[in-house]
PDB file of all heavy atoms in Angstrom:
ATOM      1  N   LEU C 326     -66.164  11.136 -89.267  1.00 73.00           N
ATOM      2  CA  LEU C 326     -65.534  12.420 -89.549  1.00 73.00           C
ATOM      3  C   LEU C 326     -64.080  12.246 -89.967  1.00 73.00           C
ATOM      4  O   LEU C 326     -63.572  13.011 -90.795  1.00 73.00           O
ATOM      5  CB  LEU C 326     -65.619  13.322 -88.315  1.00 73.00           C
ATOM      6  CG  LEU C 326     -67.026  13.806 -87.940  1.00 73.00           C
ATOM      7  CD1 LEU C 326     -66.981  14.654 -86.687  1.00 73.00           C
ATOM      8  CD2 LEU C 326     -67.637  14.602 -89.088  1.00 73.00           C
ATOM      9  N   ALA C 327     -63.408  11.240 -89.383  1.00 74.00           N
ATOM     10  CA  ALA C 327     -62.023  10.995 -89.794  1.00 74.00           C
ATOM     11  C   ALA C 327     -61.958  10.572 -91.255  1.00 74.00           C
ATOM     12  O   ALA C 327     -61.113  11.035 -92.034  1.00 74.00           O
ATOM     13  CB  ALA C 327     -61.397   9.926 -88.901  1.00 74.00           C
ATOM     14  N   VAL C 328     -62.867   9.668 -91.653  1.00 75.00           N
ATOM     15  CA  VAL C 328     -62.906   9.250 -93.051  1.00 75.00           C
ATOM     16  C   VAL C 328     -63.241  10.426 -93.959  1.00 75.00           C
ATOM     17  O   VAL C 328     -62.644  10.621 -95.029  1.00 75.00           O
ATOM     18  CB  VAL C 328     -63.931   8.103 -93.228  1.00 75.00           C
ATOM     19  CG1 VAL C 328     -64.109   7.772 -94.712  1.00 75.00           C
ATOM     20  CG2 VAL C 328     -63.487   6.876 -92.459  1.00 75.00           C
ATOM     21  N   LEU C 329     -64.202  11.235 -93.522  1.00 73.00           N
ATOM     22  CA  LEU C 329     -64.595  12.391 -94.321  1.00 73.00           C
ATOM     23  C   LEU C 329     -63.437  13.375 -94.458  1.00 73.00           C
ATOM     24  O   LEU C 329     -63.168  13.903 -95.542  1.00 73.00           O
ATOM     25  CB  LEU C 329     -65.797  13.078 -93.679  1.00 73.00           C
ATOM     26  CG  LEU C 329     -66.341  14.328 -94.383  1.00 73.00           C
ATOM     27  CD1 LEU C 329     -66.772  14.001 -95.792  1.00 73.00           C
ATOM     28  CD2 LEU C 329     -67.502  14.915 -93.590  1.00 73.00           C
ATOM     29  N   GLY C 330     -62.728  13.648 -93.359  1.00 73.00           N
ATOM     30  CA  GLY C 330     -61.595  14.567 -93.430  1.00 73.00           C
ATOM     31  C   GLY C 330     -60.488  14.055 -94.327  1.00 73.00           C
ATOM     32  O   GLY C 330     -59.902  14.820 -95.113  1.00 73.00           O
ATOM     33  N   ASP C 331     -60.192  12.756 -94.220  1.00 74.00           N
ATOM     34  CA  ASP C 331     -59.150  12.187 -95.086  1.00 74.00           C
ATOM     35  C   ASP C 331     -59.549  12.284 -96.551  1.00 74.00           C
ATOM     36  O   ASP C 331     -58.713  12.582 -97.417  1.00 74.00           O
ATOM     37  CB  ASP C 331     -58.902  10.727 -94.705  1.00 74.00           C
ATOM     38  CG  ASP C 331     -58.279  10.596 -93.324  1.00 74.00           C
ATOM     39  OD1 ASP C 331     -57.709  11.609 -92.852  1.00 74.00           O
ATOM     40  OD2 ASP C 331     -58.372   9.512 -92.720  1.00 74.00           O
ATOM     41  N   THR C 332     -60.814  12.056 -96.827  1.00 74.00           N
ATOM     42  CA  THR C 332     -61.263  12.110 -98.223  1.00 74.00           C
ATOM     43  C   THR C 332     -61.179  13.533 -98.768  1.00 74.00           C
ATOM     44  O   THR C 332     -60.717  13.763 -99.887  1.00 74.00           O
ATOM     45  CB  THR C 332     -62.708  11.596 -98.324  1.00 74.00           C
ATOM     46  OG1 THR C 332     -62.784  10.286 -97.774  1.00 74.00           O
ATOM     47  CG2 THR C 332     -63.158  11.555 -99.779  1.00 74.00           C
ATOM     48  N   LEU C 333     -61.617  14.526 -97.978  1.00 71.00           N
ATOM     49  CA  LEU C 333     -61.556  15.917 -98.430  1.00 71.00           C
ATOM     50  C   LEU C 333     -60.124  16.374 -98.657  1.00 71.00           C
ATOM     51  O   LEU C 333     -59.852  17.182 -99.542  1.00 71.00           O
ATOM     52  CB  LEU C 333     -62.226  16.834 -97.404  1.00 71.00           C
ATOM     53  CG  LEU C 333     -63.752  16.751 -97.301  1.00 71.00           C
ATOM     54  CD1 LEU C 333     -64.240  17.601 -96.139  1.00 71.00           C
ATOM     55  CD2 LEU C 333     -64.404  17.201 -98.593  1.00 71.00           C
ATOM     56  N   ALA C 334     -59.186  15.846 -97.853  1.00 67.00           N
ATOM     57  CA  ALA C 334     -57.806  16.307 -97.947  1.00 67.00           C
ATOM     58  C   ALA C 334     -56.999  15.574 -99.007  1.00 67.00           C
ATOM     59  O   ALA C 334     -55.957  16.063 -99.436  1.00 67.00           O
ATOM     60  CB  ALA C 334     -57.115  16.151 -96.592  1.00 67.00           C
ATOM     61  N   SER C 335     -57.466  14.403 -99.447  1.00 69.00           N
ATOM     62  CA  SER C 335     -56.616  13.565-100.295  1.00 69.00           C
ATOM     63  C   SER C 335     -57.050  13.510-101.752  1.00 69.00           C
ATOM     64  O   SER C 335     -56.320  12.964-102.576  1.00 69.00           O
ATOM     65  CB  SER C 335     -56.585  12.134 -99.735  1.00 69.00           C
ATOM     66  OG  SER C 335     -57.901  11.576 -99.735  1.00 69.00           O
ATOM     67  N   THR C 336     -58.215  14.047-102.105  1.00 74.00           N
ATOM     68  CA  THR C 336     -58.673  13.886-103.483  1.00 74.00           C
ATOM     69  C   THR C 336     -59.508  15.081-103.913  1.00 74.00           C
ATOM     70  O   THR C 336     -60.048  15.799-103.078  1.00 74.00           O
ATOM     71  CB  THR C 336     -59.516  12.596-103.620  1.00 74.00           C
ATOM     72  OG1 THR C 336     -59.921  12.448-104.982  1.00 74.00           O
ATOM     73  CG2 THR C 336     -60.757  12.664-102.752  1.00 74.00           C
ATOM     74  N   HIS C 337     -59.552  15.277-105.223  1.00 75.00           N
ATOM     75  CA  HIS C 337     -60.458  16.240-105.827  1.00 75.00           C
ATOM     76  C   HIS C 337     -61.544  15.539-106.636  1.00 75.00           C
ATOM     77  O   HIS C 337     -62.193  16.159-107.468  1.00 75.00           O
ATOM     78  CB  HIS C 337     -59.686  17.213-106.720  1.00 75.00           C
ATOM     79  CG  HIS C 337     -58.886  18.222-105.957  1.00 75.00           C
ATOM     80  ND1 HIS C 337     -57.535  18.113-105.793  1.00 75.00           N
ATOM     81  CD2 HIS C 337     -59.271  19.339-105.286  1.00 75.00           C
ATOM     82  CE1 HIS C 337     -57.101  19.133-105.073  1.00 75.00           C
ATOM     83  NE2 HIS C 337     -58.128  19.898-104.745  1.00 75.00           N
ATOM     84  N   ARG C 341     -66.447  10.796-105.438  1.00 85.00           N
ATOM     85  CA  ARG C 341     -66.004  10.034-104.267  1.00 85.00           C
ATOM     86  C   ARG C 341     -66.272  10.806-102.982  1.00 85.00           C
ATOM     87  O   ARG C 341     -66.744  10.238-101.993  1.00 85.00           O
ATOM     88  CB  ARG C 341     -64.517   9.730-104.393  1.00 85.00           C
ATOM     89  CG  ARG C 341     -63.935   9.001-103.187  1.00 85.00           C
ATOM     90  CD  ARG C 341     -62.442   8.826-103.333  1.00 85.00           C
ATOM     91  NE  ARG C 341     -61.853   8.309-102.109  1.00 85.00           N
ATOM     92  CZ  ARG C 341     -60.544   8.218-101.886  1.00 85.00           C
ATOM     93  NH1 ARG C 341     -59.689   8.624-102.826  1.00 85.00           N
ATOM     94  NH2 ARG C 341     -60.087   7.735-100.745  1.00 85.00           N
ATOM     95  N   ILE C 342     -66.006  12.104-102.985  1.00 84.00           N
ATOM     96  CA  ILE C 342     -66.234  12.914-101.781  1.00 84.00           C
ATOM     97  C   ILE C 342     -67.712  12.924-101.413  1.00 84.00           C
ATOM     98  O   ILE C 342     -68.088  12.756-100.252  1.00 84.00           O
ATOM     99  CB  ILE C 342     -65.710  14.344-102.004  1.00 84.00           C
ATOM    100  CG1 ILE C 342     -64.196  14.334-102.196  1.00 84.00           C
ATOM    101  CG2 ILE C 342     -66.092  15.250-100.851  1.00 84.00           C
ATOM    102  CD1 ILE C 342     -63.624  15.679-102.576  1.00 84.00           C
ATOM    103  N   VAL C 514     -68.255  22.699 -99.076  1.00 83.00           N
ATOM    104  CA  VAL C 514     -66.803  22.896 -99.105  1.00 83.00           C
ATOM    105  C   VAL C 514     -66.175  22.024-100.192  1.00 83.00           C
ATOM    106  O   VAL C 514     -65.269  22.460-100.907  1.00 83.00           O
ATOM    107  CB  VAL C 514     -66.196  22.587 -97.724  1.00 83.00           C
ATOM    108  CG1 VAL C 514     -64.678  22.573 -97.787  1.00 83.00           C
ATOM    109  CG2 VAL C 514     -66.663  23.602 -96.706  1.00 83.00           C
ATOM    110  N   ALA C 515     -66.641  20.779-100.306  1.00 81.00           N
ATOM    111  CA  ALA C 515     -66.080  19.883-101.316  1.00 81.00           C
ATOM    112  C   ALA C 515     -66.309  20.422-102.724  1.00 81.00           C
ATOM    113  O   ALA C 515     -65.389  20.471-103.549  1.00 81.00           O
ATOM    114  CB  ALA C 515     -66.709  18.485-101.177  1.00 81.00           C
ATOM    115  N   ASN C 518     -64.145  23.470-103.221  1.00 83.00           N
ATOM    116  CA  ASN C 518     -62.730  23.127-103.389  1.00 83.00           C
ATOM    117  C   ASN C 518     -62.450  22.609-104.795  1.00 83.00           C
ATOM    118  O   ASN C 518     -61.438  22.960-105.407  1.00 83.00           O
ATOM    119  CB  ASN C 518     -62.319  22.090-102.352  1.00 83.00           C
ATOM    120  CG  ASN C 518     -62.191  22.681-100.971  1.00 83.00           C
ATOM    121  OD1 ASN C 518     -62.096  23.896-100.826  1.00 83.00           O
ATOM    122  ND2 ASN C 518     -62.186  21.845 -99.946  1.00 83.00           N
TER     123      ASN C 518
END
Side-chain angles (χ1 to χ4, degrees):
L326 292 178
V328 173
L329 180 59
D331 293 340
T332 304
L333 289 174
S335 61
T336 181
H337 286 102
R341 177 184 172 189
I342 296 173
V514 171
N518 286 343

